[in-house]
Amino acid sequence: MTRTSEKRTAARYEIERRLAPHVEEEWAEAFVIELRLLDVPGAALGAALAEVESHCAESGEPAAEAFGDPVAYARSLDLPVEPDGRWEVVKVLGPTSAQFLGLLLLGWGGSAVVLAGRAGEVAPSVDVTAGMIAMIAVFGAAILLFYRFSSTVLRRVMERPVASFFALAGCMAVLVAVPVLLDGVLVTLPAWPVAVSGGLVLAAGTVWGAVQARRGTLDDPIVSPLPGEQQDVPARRSRLLSATVTWIVPAFALVSLALLWLLPGR
């Protein structure tokens, strides 16, 4: 195994190696993933993994022989799941929804402003079509359905990644095709207010997501119940990843507008 492969393996099984060093890595990983898909809280998950580790460490018996299939064993535990708080859906979907809406408004308004400037128009406008409204509605319905059935969707993605990729590509194609097919104009709005509103909404969603990532609002680290045991150090890495994802959307918006402004065209 090369040094790079060793590093990748160590990063992949970091939690399993730290909290359950006597348990087979693949078994522990499948066990952890299934409990995550079942929405088991991190503390309860850590306690369940600690029980497996304790048995394997004392008996020397492999987890596969002692507990059988990790997925079946995880389901058999019937552990309590994390209840959804009153505002949980807002905390989870709020930043992403605001960023998406802001990106669309900024794109529509900003592109109209740039193209009108090239044509010498002094009052750029945006034609709001039925497809544009439908696009927002379809996206909203999609993320609500994903939130409601996230465990089922993620399980299907892990079981059939290729089919899931094509399904996602199909959904994106539908999302893009809707504004093209439903091109009837509902109302015409001045472009500058649309662009400014989009920029403000995008900024608000980005700040919201960045604050959540910094505070770890959505974190649920796997923790060991043993006193003095090192806790889930990778939580910092998870927050860094969340912050990076948060800033991708505004970066994409800025790059898109910059390219539209710089590239020649009439």
Side-chain angles (χ1 to χ4, degrees), residues 216-230:
T217 303
L218 303 179
D219 287 353
D220 182 23
I222 301 173
V223 295
S224 171
L226 301 178
E229 183 73 23
Q230 186 182 15

Side-chain angles (χ1 to χ4, degrees), residues 142 146 153 157 160-175:
F146 176 79
V153 173
V157 170
R160 300 179 178 179
V162 177
S164 300
F165 171 80
F166 285 106
L168 177 60
C171 292
M172 294 300 296
V174 170
L175 199 63

Side-chain angles (χ1 to χ4, degrees), residues 30-40 45 48 74 77 79:
F31 179 70
V32 168
I33 290 176
E34 183 59 29
L35 289 181
R36 279 299 196 192
L37 290 175
L38 294 173
D39 292 328
V40 174
L45 197 161
L77 295 178
L79 296 175

Side-chain angles (χ1 to χ4, degrees), residues 20 32 87 118 151 170-171 173 183 191 202-203 221 236-237 239 249 261:
V32 168
W87 299 102
R118 288 177 177 175
S151 296
C171 292
D183 57 355
L202 176 59
R236 180 179 299 178
R237 184 182 303 169
R239 294 179 188 179
V249 177
W261 179 268

Side-chain angles (χ1 to χ4, degrees), residues 114 118 256-266:
V114 172
R118 288 177 177 175
S256 299
L257 289 176
L259 289 176
L260 183 63
W261 179 268
L262 295 175
L263 292 178
R266 292 293 180 185

Side-chain angles (χ1 to χ4, degrees), residues 11-100:
R12 174 178 176 179
Y13 298 117
E14 183 174 359
I15 294 176
E16 289 80 5
R17 288 181 175 181
R18 180 162 44 82
L19 298 183
H22 296 89
V23 180
E24 306 94 292
E25 295 169 344
E26 295 83 358
W27 194 99
E29 181 187 50
F31 179 70
V32 168
I33 290 176
E34 183 59 29
L35 289 181
R36 279 299 196 192
L37 290 175
L38 294 173
D39 292 328
V40 174
L45 197 161
L49 185 60
E51 290 182 6
V52 176
E53 162 65 16
S54 177
H55 175 85
C56 293
E58 293 177 2
S59 67
E61 187 180 10
E65 295 182 7
F67 302 98
D69 179 72
V71 174
Y73 178 66
R75 294 176 181 176
S76 70
L77 295 178
D78 195 24
L79 296 175
V81 299
E82 186 72 32
D84 288 338
R86 184 176 182 180
W87 299 102
E88 191 69 17
V89 64
V90 177
K91 290 193 299 182
V92 174
L93 301 182
T96 301
S97 300
Q99 283 189 313
F100 177 78

Side-chain angles (χ1 to χ4, degrees), residues 119-163:
E121 299 178 10
V122 295
S125 61
V126 176
D127 291 332
V128 180
T129 66
M132 294 162 71
I133 301 300
M135 183 180 185
I136 296 175
V138 169
F139 177 80
I143 62 172
L144 285 174
L145 287 173
F146 176 79
Y147 177 81
R148 176 65 180 83
F149 302 102
S150 59
S151 296
T152 302
V153 173
L154 292 174
R155 184 174 283 108
R156 295 293 180 270
V157 170
M158 295 181 63
E159 293 174 350
R160 300 179 178 179
V162 177

